[in-house]
Amino acid sequence: HHSSSSCTVMTSPLDLFAQLRELVKGSEVTILVSIAVGMVVWRVMGSSEKETKKEEKKEAGKRELKDRPNEVLEFRDYTRELLAQYNGTVMGKPLLVAILGKVYDVTAGADFYGPGGPYGAFAGRDASRMLSKMQTAPDEQDPSLEDLLPEENDTLQNWASFFAGKYKHVGNLRD
């Protein structure tokens, strides 16, 4: 004589889920709050020491770049070779970016244009082509502007206006 309860019935994942839901009924809020609190604590504890040290080091580097006793720039002509010295790797030298033949002091934007910054590739060079094509690294045709599409030329003009309005024009790029 077999009782129906001893039969092995395949339980679907949905049935298991229903059983689990029945088990926690009434304590869903407690469980969710516990998970949320656990995640917050984990997040706070996890970002402690190592992250703080990394951030402090990064901030110190940025402060150093902004606060360094910058060479006083006289308005002048720059060759590509001379401009390359102003890429943020030489202490005491400001960060310079050239766009459409004009050289700008972007040291105030060291977080962006300094070494390791998202636009660090622009510092110490003619960034016209990269800016026109919205690239953060030079391509094989750099620095040529011969093949720019009309919309890339528009983008370049917008960037030139942005730089002219935000940064000090400190010289001109000569080939």
Side-chain angles (χ1 to χ4, degrees), residues 119-151:
Y119 309 122
F122 299 164
R125 67 183 305 143
D126 178 358
S128 301
R129 184 178 181 86
M130 286 184 277
L131 287 164
S132 71
K133 294 187 166 285
M134 304 293 273
Q135 297 169 339
T136 52
D139 60 22
E140 303 76 46
Q141 282 79 43
D142 201 80
S144 170
L145 302 176
E146 302 285 310
D147 63 336
L148 294 188
L149 301 169
E151 56 270 22

Side-chain angles (χ1 to χ4, degrees), residues 24 27-36:
V24 297
S27 50
E28 295 98 333
V29 172
T30 311
I31 290 170
L32 287 174
V33 167
S34 300
I35 290 171

Side-chain angles (χ1 to χ4, degrees), residues 78-119:
Y78 288 85
T79 60
R80 291 182 194 283
E81 295 71 39
L82 181 60
L83 185 61
Q85 296 173 21
Y86 296 87
N87 66 357
T89 60
V90 183
M91 283 313 292
K93 289 198 180 288
L95 289 167
L96 301 183
V97 172
I99 180 167
L100 291 178
K102 291 184 176 175
V103 178
Y104 295 96
D105 181 345
V106 298
T107 310
D111 298 0
F112 299 103
Y113 303 105
Y119 309 122

